[in-house]
Amino acid sequence: MNLTLKIWRQKNASDKGKMVTYPVTDISEHMSFLEMLDVLNEQLIEKGEEPVAFDHDCREGICGMCSLYINGEAHGPDRKVTTCQLHMRMFNDGETITIEPFRAKAFPVVKDLTIDRSSFDRIQHAGGYISVNTSGNTQDANALPIPKKNADLAMDAATCIGCGACVASCKNSSAMLFVSAKVSQYALLPQGQVEATDRVLNMVNQMDLEGFGNCTNTGACEVECPKGISLENIARMNREYLKATIKG
Amino acid sequence: MAKTTFRKSSVGKKVLMALTGFFLMFFLLQHLTINMLSVISPDMFNDVSHFMGTNPIVQIALQPVLMFAVIFHFIMGIVLDLQNRKARPVGYANNNAGANTSWMSRNMIISGLVILAFLVLHFIDFWIPEMNVKYIQGDMSGLLEPGVADSGYRYFEELQHKFVSPIRVGAYVIAFVLLALHLQHGFASAFQSVGARTNNNKTALQKFGNIFAFAVPLGFIAIALFHHFTYSH
Ligand code: HEM
Ligand code: SF4
Ligand code: FES
């Protein structure tokens, strides 16, 4: 396949940046989107040009680093995949593909297509944990009976990889899906109860401080999330938040 | 850690948006019911209008609550929209929003502002004249001709007069079409905001919301058209 790529180039955080057009040749339809970008970068280096900076790590859909806005959608046109799992067979020979970084005030661009998602880390630090002593005589997790339904829902919520596609797709740059997944995975389990009140208040507070927008329930996040995190988690977080506010 | 209050947090604002939305939807139903009487029986419409217009509980307790809900809802809606725009200072060159969201959900502010424009017109049309007659001129009788006891109530007459103008009826229709779009998203959205939507009830909520969003505005439109085409003098 031969393609035309329109890619966001930005030297550093303070550079204004712009879309630049590159042709790329000899792409196999079996390649992943990131492999296609590797080929582009090789071709750029051969020509003596600066390669395009983009994030990636595991290349198997679990780390959440490979965050690209492709043809107007987070992680591209396919559903429930990250950019590293997106195959070039989703595109046609001769197609023009736009590639942009995830956009949000809380996700500033570092260089080209790489962004700073440390706002997510700070939200996690605000309450996305349980306090357990690691003294050596920790209680066996299986000793606590947990309804199968709740275990499954908690597991589903815990599959969130923190990629930020929910924020990128949301017209409000809201982080509700991410935060609600992190709140839900604990809210559904007995281990999460002790700190439940502080957790939801602190995490929502940190989310607001980071400059994410307000959710208007458009549902873009759920459609674009590579892990299929459900909007139900947002409703659950809203309940948890109401409960916590009443408890104080 | 510095905690934002409920009212200032993003979740809290959404909940308040939803609660005022619920209240307004309930109010719409009540309003539609009374308007329907104007088609069924002018006398009944007159009696109920007079009751609503002069009952102290309605006037002193419920009316201010309604005003507060409307004002709160649209100011908060505008504030949220402005905040949300700021959350993405650099936009996308290519954004395929239609791939994952409905037009209605993305444009609540547009449908909302059209409804607001209509509400202003509605105030000038009905509310200000009512307040003038009742509280400035001090005529609480509700009679067609002040002081003439057998002249009958004025409400039905006034209603019919309003719907003579095709321009007013046109504006009315447009506003209610936009209200339908607002509620097509807003109904189920409000349940989500207060945490009441689940994967089990979401399909039912959306279906019921669609019916509500279609039927209520259609009712208002039908009544306006009925008076427009049946009135003759
Ligand atoms: C009778 C009139 C109205 C009714 C019944 C109504 C109803 C609703 C409902 C049920 C919602 C969903 C709330 C939620 O998602 O939690 C909503 C959202 C919204 N409304 Fe209204 N509304 C009305 C008038 C207005 C007006 C005049 C404006 C003016 C700007 C407006 C602006 C908005 C906006 C921007 C939203 C989305 C905000 C968000 O989801 O956070 N609405 N409305
Ligand atoms: S909720 Fe989905 S889209 Fe959002 S960060 Fe988690 S995995 Fe990514
Ligand atoms: S590179 Fe890890 S999820 Fe794509």
Side-chain angles (χ1 to χ4, degrees):
Chain A
M1 297 165 86
N2 296 331
L3 302 161
T4 305
L5 306 175
K6 291 191 169 168
I7 304 182
W8 181 260
R9 300 303 307 261
Q10 180 175 342
K11 281 197 188 67
N12 51 48
S14 52
D15 182 26
K16 227 180 133 245
K18 60 174 190 298
M19 297 297 280
V20 179
T21 305
Y22 299 100
V24 61
T25 53
D26 300 327
I27 299 299
S28 151
E29 60 177 19
H30 302 301
M31 284 179 180
S32 78
F33 202 83
L34 295 187
E35 285 167 331
M36 183 278 291
L37 286 178
D38 292 337
V39 172
L40 169 75
N41 276 346
E42 279 168 17
Q43 294 176 359
L44 286 178
I45 290 167
E46 270 170 30
K47 282 193 266 178
E49 288 180 42
E50 172 87 5
V52 178
F54 62 92
D55 260 330
H56 58 99
D57 187 16
C58 70
R59 296 211 177 196
E60 54 185 3
I62 53 175
C63 75
M65 285 302 283
C66 57
S67 299
L68 298 178
Y69 212 70
I70 301 160
N71 277 351
E73 283 183 79
H75 299 301
D78 209 355
R79 292 285 172 254
K80 297 203 179 157
V81 295
T82 51
T83 300
C84 58
Q85 300 169 299
L86 177 67
H87 282 92
M88 292 314 294
R89 56 174 165 270
M90 291 298 293
F91 302 90
N92 301 318
D93 188 28
E95 195 175 329
T96 300
I97 303 174
T98 56
I99 311 171
E100 298 174 75
F102 281 3
R103 298 276 189 204
K105 187 172 151 219
F107 287 168
V109 172
V110 176
K111 183 181 182 185
D112 295 338
L113 302 171
T114 59
I115 54 169
D116 178 356
R117 270 166 296 191
S118 54
S119 48
F120 268 14
D121 299 341
R122 288 187 292 273
I123 295 174
Q124 277 290 66
H125 295 165
Y129 53 80
I130 53 166
S131 306
V132 211
N133 287 329
T134 50
S135 53
N137 52 6
T138 324
Q139 187 189 18
D140 188 303
N142 290 326
L144 281 174
I146 296 168
K148 170 88 170 92
K149 185 164 163 276
N150 286 358
D152 286 349
L153 289 172
M155 189 61 209
D156 287 347
T159 58
C160 164
I161 54 176
C163 66
C166 42
V167 175
S169 320
C170 174
K171 82 173 186 52
N172 312 312
S173 307
S174 163
M176 290 284 273
L177 195 64
F178 165 76
V179 181
S180 71
K182 299 302 172 195
V183 166
S184 285
Q185 77 189 47
Y186 299 112
L188 286 155
L189 299 177
Q191 290 94 330
Q193 298 315 308
V194 183
E195 290 150 305
T197 304
D198 285 345
R199 174 179 305 112
V200 67
L201 292 177
N202 290 340
M203 289 181 84
V204 168
N205 186 43
Q206 189 62 36
M207 168 177 87
D208 293 347
L209 289 177
E210 297 290 347
F212 292 102
N214 308 286
C215 174
T216 58
N217 306 326
T218 67
C221 52
E222 184 186 52
V223 177
E224 298 295 346
C225 172
K227 297 297 153 185
I229 301 294
S230 161
L231 286 180
E232 205 175 34
N233 291 297
I234 297 185
R236 182 179 298 105
M237 179 165 81
N238 292 348
R239 289 198 295 278
E240 289 290 312
Y241 192 85
L242 281 170
K243 246 197 285 174
T245 307
I246 292 164
K247 275 194 201 162
Chain B
M1 185 189 291
K3 280 216 189 80
T4 43
T5 59
F6 177 79
R7 192 171 46 80
K8 287 198 181 134
S9 78
S10 56
V11 176
K13 282 185 281 198
K14 280 292 305 177
V15 170
L16 295 173
M17 206 59 202
L19 292 180
T20 49
F22 275 129
F23 182 80
L24 291 177
M25 290 194 292
F26 187 75
F27 164 74
L28 280 180
L29 266 185
Q30 172 259 317
H31 197 326
L32 178 64
T33 312
I34 296 180
N35 284 14
M36 253 161 5
L37 293 179
S38 74
V39 174
I40 301 166
S41 150
D43 283 341
M44 232 152 64
F45 176 75
N46 271 331
D47 290 342
V48 175
S49 298
H50 189 66
F51 172 80
M52 296 298 279
T54 51
N55 183 287
I57 296 176
V58 176
Q59 290 290 304
I60 295 163
L62 292 182
Q63 186 161 278
V65 174
L66 174 64
M67 300 273 238
F68 176 80
V70 172
I71 293 170
F72 186 95
H73 187 84
F74 82 73
I75 291 183
M76 188 61 101
I78 293 169
V79 168
L80 287 171
D81 191 73
L82 291 175
Q83 284 180 346
N84 291 346
R85 282 166 202 269
K86 272 199 254 160
R88 177 166 296 138
V90 182
Y92 292 109
N94 177 5
N95 189 23
N96 187 4
N100 48 41
T101 46
S102 70
W103 188 94
M104 285 65 93
S105 72
R106 292 194 303 274
N107 293 288
M108 290 299 273
I109 189 68
I110 293 181
S111 52
L113 288 175
V114 175
I115 301 167
L116 181 61
F118 167 80
L119 286 178
V120 172
L121 176 80
H122 200 55
F123 254 58
I124 297 171
D125 257 9
F126 287 92
W127 194 76
I128 294 180
E130 272 299 304
M131 291 296 119
N132 179 30
V133 169
K134 285 192 308 214
Y135 300 113
I136 295 175
Q137 297 176 13
D139 174 16
M140 299 294 283
S141 72
L143 294 174
L144 256 180
E145 291 168 44
V148 185
D150 59 1
S151 63
Y153 284 139
R154 60 187 162 79
Y155 309 100
F156 184 73
E157 278 281 315
E158 286 174 359
L159 180 79
Q160 284 195 313
H161 271 285
K162 295 290 181 201
F163 290 121
V164 170
S165 155
I167 295 172
R168 189 182 274 111
V169 174
Y172 209 89
V173 171
I174 292 170
F176 277 105
V177 169
L178 270 293
L179 177 68
L181 298 176
H182 200 74
L183 295 181
Q184 201 276 337
H185 173 70
F187 186 90
S189 176
F191 283 88
Q192 170 80 355
S193 297
V194 297
R197 190 166 73 175
T198 64
N199 282 344
N200 290 332
N201 69 18
K202 70 175 179 187
T203 317
L205 271 181
Q206 189 58 51
K207 273 193 193 144
F208 191 81
N210 289 346
I211 296 171
F212 186 92
F214 182 75
V216 172
L218 186 71
F220 281 100
I221 291 176
I223 293 167
L225 292 178
F226 174 82
H227 290 301
H228 180 70
F229 289 114
T230 55
Y231 184 75
S232 56
H233 257 296

